[in-house]
Amino acid sequence: MDDVEWTQSPKPEELRVGLISWAGSYLTYETYKNIVTATARGLGRRQTWEILVSNQHDAQAVVRLRSFQGLYLLCEADGSLSYGRPRTSHHGCFLLRFHRNGKWTLQCIISGRYLESDGEDVFCNSRVLSAYHMWTPRPALHVHVILYSPINHCYARADTTTGRVWVDAPVPCLEECGFLLHFQDGCYHLETSTHFFLSHLDRLAPQPSSQTAFHMQVRPGGLVALSDGEGGILYPQGTRLLLGLGSSPHRGEEWFILQRCPTWVSLRSKTRKFLSIIYDVEVYAASEHVTPMSLFQFECDNESLTLQLRAANGCYLAQRHHRTVVANGHPMEPGTFFYMHWNCGRIILQAPNGRFLGIIDNGLLMAKATIPGPNEEFGIRLANRPFLVLRGRYGYVGTSSEHDLMKCNMDQPDCIHLLPCRQGIYHFQAQGGSFWSITSFGTFRPWGKFALNFCIELHGSNLLTVLAPNGFYMRSDRSGTLLADSEEITKECIWEF
C-alpha cells in the first residue's frame, strides 16, 4: 500500500482544555464541595475540562463542559454554578463564542448570562459582555505534540540545517516532527526536538523571547491557529510549504490539528538485526541499521494491553496463514492485535493464534513458538524520542529553584535526554548535561556525575513505566516529590510521555 492511508486526516483528539480567567486563575471543580472556583494557578486534573460540542457554526458552538470525573459544569437560575449531572436537555449548555484574540466566552443557554470570575469565585450574573467574561483556553494534552495540516495532508517538520520549519512530512515518524508546546504569560512557544524555537522571523531561534511568543486560537476537533498578535498568522507558504507568518491564508491554511506526539519504535532480534519490511509486505530481521522501513508506530490499548504495530507504508503487522506475519493489515482487523509481555526491557509479542513471534533461520518473522525463549524476545528502542517529557497524576517531572530534589507536580516540564545503553535500558541526562542520581531514600537529583541505568517499558501508546537503578519503579507522590520505591506497578507508576 502506498501513502494514501497516511494522507487521510488523523482522528482528532478530544478537546480538553484549562480555562484561564482574566485574573490568571483556572476554572476548577472542587470534588468534595460540589462547587466550582477559579483560584488554582496551574493546570491539573481538576482544572481540565472536556468540551462536548452539540452544535457548531463558524465562530460559535453549543457546548457542555465535563470534568475527568464525568460530571458537568452547571449554571443555576440564581446565577450560581454547581457541579453534577444535567437535569434537563439544556441544563449545563453554554453558547461558546470564539473571539479573534483567542479568548472564549461562555454564555448560559437558559439565562443568557456570561460565565465570569472575580479571581476566586465563579458565577453567571451579567448579560452585558465585558473583559471579565473572557477566558483563555489552554490545551490540556501532553506538551510533546505534532502539527498536522488538514489542507496539505502533511505534518510540520523542523529542519535545523536551514533553520526553518516545513509542512512536508507525510508520515510523522521522525523526531523532527515533534515539538514542545510551552505556555508562558498567556502565549505559546514552540520548541523543536533540537531545542530551537519557532520565531516570527521564519527562522529558528536559540532562545525563547518575545519573538518566539505566539497567540493560539483553539477550536473543537483539536484545531489550532498561531498568530503574532499583530495581524500575522502562521501558515504554509510557497511550493515548499515553508511555515511562516503571513496575512492572507487561503481555504483555512492556518488551521492545524494539534495531537500528541506518536510513539515510533524499532525492534531488534537476538542476532542484532532490525525488523524491516522487505518486498512490500514481508517482515525480516535483516537490516543492521535503522531505515524508514524498520520503524513502527506503537499503538497500544491501555486497558487490554493489545498492541498494533503500524509501518511507514500505512499498514499494520498482521498474522496470516501458515503463521507468517506480514505488513498488510488494516486498523480493525483481528489479526493485527498482539499481546505484549515484558522481560527486563525486552518485548515479547503473542499473536492471535496464541503463538509467539520469533525469527526463523532465514530471518523471516513468524508466529511459531508455543513457549517464548531468547529468539522471541526483541529489543525495543524509541525511534522518534531523543528525550522524554514525563507527566504523572500530579503534574510534570521537573526541577524547581526552591528544591534540590526532582519534583513530579510541575506545571512546566524538564526534558530528560535519553542516552541508549542496551535495548530498553537508558541513561537519563538532565538539561545541563549532568546525569540523574538517586539517593538512599529513593529520591532523585539532576546533577550526578555518573550515568545510571533506567529500564523503560511501554504500557500504552503514550504510557510507560521506569524501573530505577535501585530496583523499584519510579512513581509520583502526592507530596510532589519524585520517588522510586514501588515494588509493583500502580497508577502512580504510569507516566504519560
Side-chain angles (χ1 to χ4, degrees):
M1 184 179 290
D2 56 22
D3 289 340
V4 172
E5 288 290 317
W6 279 106
T7 59
Q8 295 177 357
S9 176
K11 181 181 178 182
E13 304 237 359
E14 296 172 336
L15 180 59
R16 290 191 173 97
V17 299
L19 291 173
I20 308 172
S21 72
W22 63 272
S25 54
Y26 287 78
L27 186 69
T28 303
Y29 61 89
E30 304 291 349
T31 310
Y32 303 109
K33 300 178 182 178
N34 193 35
I35 61 172
V36 180
T37 65
T39 56
R41 290 287 168 175
L43 178 57
R45 293 175 66 87
R46 292 188 296 114
Q47 292 78 39
T48 299
W49 300 90
E50 183 179 356
I51 308 299
L52 302 176
V53 180
S54 59
N55 189 14
Q56 182 178 357
H57 179 70
D58 292 337
Q60 62 185 35
V62 177
V63 301
R64 276 193 168 106
L65 277 65
R66 185 169 66 184
S67 73
F68 262 116
Q69 292 191 329
L71 300 179
Y72 295 81
L73 178 69
L74 305 173
C75 179
E76 306 302 340
D78 62 356
S80 65
L81 290 173
S82 62
Y83 174 64
R85 300 192 182 279
R87 296 187 296 272
T88 66
S89 60
H90 289 92
H91 193 207
C93 286
F94 293 86
L95 180 62
L96 169 59
R97 287 191 176 93
F98 312 109
H99 298 268
R100 289 189 176 183
N101 60 0
K103 308 286 187 182
W104 286 4
T105 53
L106 290 152
Q107 186 179 21
C108 176
I109 290 290
I110 297 176
S111 68
R113 295 172 175 145
Y114 288 96
L115 181 72
E116 64 177 298
S117 169
D118 60 6
E120 293 184 0
D121 296 323
V122 185
F123 40 84
C124 288
N125 283 343
S126 176
R127 292 187 176 94
V128 181
L129 186 63
S130 72
Y132 295 104
H133 303 128
M134 296 290 177
W135 297 85
T136 301
R138 177 184 175 185
L141 81 170
H142 191 281
V143 298
H144 201 173
V145 299
I146 55 175
L147 293 166
Y148 176 77
S149 170
I151 296 294
N152 297 290
H153 306 295
C154 282
Y155 296 84
R157 173 186 63 87
D159 183 357
T160 53
T161 59
T162 61
R164 305 287 183 95
V165 174
W166 313 94
V167 186
D168 63 356
V171 183
C173 60
L174 303 174
E175 63 182 60
E176 292 86 351
C177 294
F179 296 86
L180 292 178
L181 190 64
H182 297 282
F183 181 75
Q184 185 177 1
D185 299 328
C187 292
Y188 293 86
H189 302 261
L190 272 177
E191 182 181 359
T192 71
S193 61
T194 52
H195 305 300
F196 286 84
F197 293 83
L198 188 64
S199 78
H200 299 174
L201 305 176
D202 299 345
R203 288 194 174 274
L204 298 177
Q207 300 291 337
S209 68
S210 60
Q211 290 296 304
T212 67
F214 291 89
H215 299 270
M216 179 183 288
Q217 297 184 49
V218 182
R219 297 286 190 274
L223 288 171
V224 300
L226 295 163
S227 64
D228 63 358
E230 299 178 355
I233 194 163
L234 278 179
Y235 60 94
Q237 302 176 38
T239 57
R240 293 193 59 191
L241 300 177
L242 170 67
L243 185 61
L245 282 174
S247 57
S248 55
H250 300 289
R251 299 180 298 113
E253 288 177 315
E254 71 274 24
W255 293 104
F256 291 86
I257 296 177
L258 188 69
Q259 293 186 307
R260 291 185 305 180
C261 186
T263 302
W264 287 78
V265 300
S266 61
L267 297 168
R268 207 172 189 181
S269 69
K270 74 170 187 177
T271 60
R272 304 183 67 79
K273 299 290 182 65
F274 291 98
L275 292 189
S276 302
I277 299 173
I278 301 176
Y279 310 124
D280 293 331
V281 297
E282 293 183 346
V283 185
Y284 283 84
S287 177
E288 295 183 356
H289 304 283
V290 175
T291 68
M293 299 312 293
S294 55
L295 298 180
F296 300 92
Q297 186 174 348
F298 194 95
E299 300 181 9
C300 179
D301 184 279
N302 301 341
E303 300 298 328
S304 65
L305 290 184
T306 54
L307 169 67
Q308 289 181 295
L309 291 171
R310 189 182 190 188
N313 66 359
C315 293
Y316 292 83
L317 295 194
Q319 178 207 323
R320 297 301 185 206
H321 301 296
H322 308 295
R323 303 171 184 169
T324 58
V325 177
V326 294
N328 64 358
H330 300 285
M332 299 308 296
E333 193 175 348
T336 64
F337 291 88
F338 300 88
Y339 290 98
M340 62 178 183
H341 311 272
W342 289 95
N343 183 21
C344 299
R346 302 179 72 85
I347 194 170
I348 301 168
L349 299 175
Q350 189 174 15
N353 66 358
R355 296 179 180 266
F356 296 89
L357 271 59
I359 305 300
I360 62 175
D361 292 341
N362 66 353
L364 184 67
L365 181 66
M366 293 192 71
K368 182 179 179 181
T370 56
I371 299 175
N375 200 45
E376 286 70 46
E377 293 183 357
F378 294 93
I380 184 169
R381 182 164 293 175
L382 297 171
N384 67 329
R385 303 293 182 110
F387 55 80
L388 289 179
V389 172
L390 298 181
R391 181 165 71 171
R393 292 179 65 83
Y394 309 111
Y396 286 100
V397 171
T399 52
S400 168
S401 59
E402 301 172 359
H403 303 88
D404 64 344
L405 299 175
M406 297 294 296
K407 307 294 288 183
C408 61
N409 62 350
M410 304 298 293
D411 186 60
Q412 297 291 334
D414 284 2
C415 287
I416 306 167
H417 290 273
L418 297 176
L419 301 180
C421 179
R422 301 188 301 275
Q423 297 297 319
I425 307 296
Y426 295 86
H427 301 321
F428 282 9
Q429 191 174 38
Q431 289 177 299
S434 56
F435 293 98
W436 275 35
S437 65
I438 187 168
T439 71
S440 57
F441 301 103
T443 56
F444 296 92
R445 290 191 173 96
W447 52 70
K449 295 182 179 180
F450 304 102
L452 302 177
N453 292 341
F454 291 83
C455 179
I456 291 176
E457 294 181 354
L458 303 180
H459 288 264
S461 297
N462 287 83
L463 301 175
L464 58 76
T465 58
V466 178
L467 190 64
N470 63 355
F472 293 96
Y473 285 98
M474 197 168 77
R475 70 173 180 89
S476 55
D477 188 74
R478 190 177 295 273
S479 68
T481 300
L482 183 66
L483 294 171
D485 62 358
S486 181
E487 296 182 359
E488 303 292 334
I489 297 177
T490 66
K491 288 183 179 180
E492 291 184 331
C493 299
I494 301 294
W495 299 95
E496 185 182 3
F497 71 102

